[in-house]
Structure formats: C-alpha cells, structure tokens
Amino acid sequence: MIAAVMAGSAAAALLFRWARLPLWPLTGGLVGAAAVNLGFELAVEVPGVVALLAQLMIGTAIGATIGPEIFRHFIRIIAPGTLAVVVVLGAGLVFAWIFALLGLLEPAESAFSLMPGGVAEMVAAAVALGYDGAVVIGAHMVRLFTVIWSAPLFLWAAERIYRRWVQPPGA
C-alpha cells in the first residue's frame, strides 16, 4: 500500500513540475500521496524510521547551505525578525479567536491551525494536548500551498517596490 501512495506522490510531483508550480516535489508529492490515500481509502502511515530519515535529509540539505556569514546576518535581523514573528503570532491569535467566535473551529484547534510553524510541530503539539490533528493539518496545508504558490508573485512585487521606492538612485 505504501508503494501505491509513493507512486501517486511521484506522479503528482511530476505533473506539478510539468505545470511549473513552485516547489513541485513538496506540493505535488503531498497532493499525490493524499489523493491516493484518500481516494482508495487507504490508511497508509509512513514507518517512523522512514519519516525520521526524510526529516534528517531535509535538515542536512538546509544545514549544509549555512556558512559562517549567516551569523553576521543573524545578528542584524534578530530584533526585527522577532518583532515580525510576534506580529504574525498576534494576527494568528486574533483570527483564531474570530474563527472560534464564528463557530468554524474550536478555540485551541483554531490557534494551532493559524499559528506559523512547521506542520509537523503544530500537529504534534495539538495532538499531545488532545486536539484534532487532522483539523490542524488541513489548515496548515491551506497555508502551505497559499504561501508556496503565491511566493513568486510576492517576490516579484517586493523586488519592483524595492527598486522603485527603496533602492537609492544610482545604486
């Protein structure tokens, strides 16, 4: 059964690559695996050791790109970066309260669903506290796809705004 889910994941990833969607291996793989798992009513779970190895590979791929200059950049952005995170957390809480007031989600599930952070971490925290992890996963998938697929547009706009209004003339 896991082979069928992996085949669906690979097929959707290739389709997403063909469609030139950003981060096609991640988004296509996720959609394909979910489609096969749900479409055939499978209850496939990736073995813990395989999930651990995949996370280690992702961590290795990211960690290998970090050089000594990153610490100089980190010192410059720690205060404004912390402020940005606090603002996003606050916005997440406000929307969590609104969603709870509208009866869309339970308050805690709403908070876990709308907070920034890794999907696995938010789901693990929610489940550990007795909340519905599936609800949290669903909301984070919406967030993940929205961010990934809209990133090219936002980056294009940010670059144009920077060049037009921020960058000093002649720079």
Side-chain angles (χ1 to χ4, degrees):
M1 288 200 285
I2 195 163
V5 173
M6 290 178 71
S9 178
L14 290 173
L15 179 66
F16 281 33
R17 180 179 183 200
W18 175 81
R20 293 195 164 115
L21 292 173
L23 289 173
W24 57 268
L26 175 65
T27 57
L30 203 155
V31 167
V36 170
N37 209 29
L38 294 171
F40 292 102
E41 296 183 8
L42 303 175
V44 174
E45 290 187 31
V46 175
V49 69
V50 174
L52 176 64
L53 289 173
Q55 290 173 12
L56 285 170
M57 288 302 297
I58 292 169
T60 301
I62 294 168
T65 66
I66 297 174
E69 71 281 353
I70 195 70
F71 294 108
R72 286 190 296 277
H73 294 294
F74 181 73
I75 295 300
R76 289 186 2 208
I77 66 163
I78 191 166
T82 301
L83 176 62
V85 169
V86 169
V87 168
V88 170
L89 286 171
L93 276 176
V94 168
F95 278 97
W97 292 328
I98 291 170
F99 283 20
L101 285 172
L102 294 174
L104 300 173
L105 293 170
E106 294 298 319
E109 289 168 350
S110 184
F112 279 114
S113 296
L114 298 172
M115 289 293 166
V119 176
E121 291 79 6
M122 293 295 105
V123 172
V127 169
L129 294 172
Y131 302 110
D132 188 350
V135 170
V136 177
I137 287 173
H140 279 277
M141 290 302 96
V142 170
R143 177 185 61 89
L144 179 71
F145 286 112
T146 302
V147 168
I148 289 172
W149 288 345
S150 64
L153 175 64
F154 284 109
L155 294 173
W156 173 83
E159 186 65 31
R160 299 215 22 149
I161 290 167
Y162 177 79
R163 280 195 220 137
R164 182 162 186 181
W165 289 302
V166 179
Q167 186 177 38

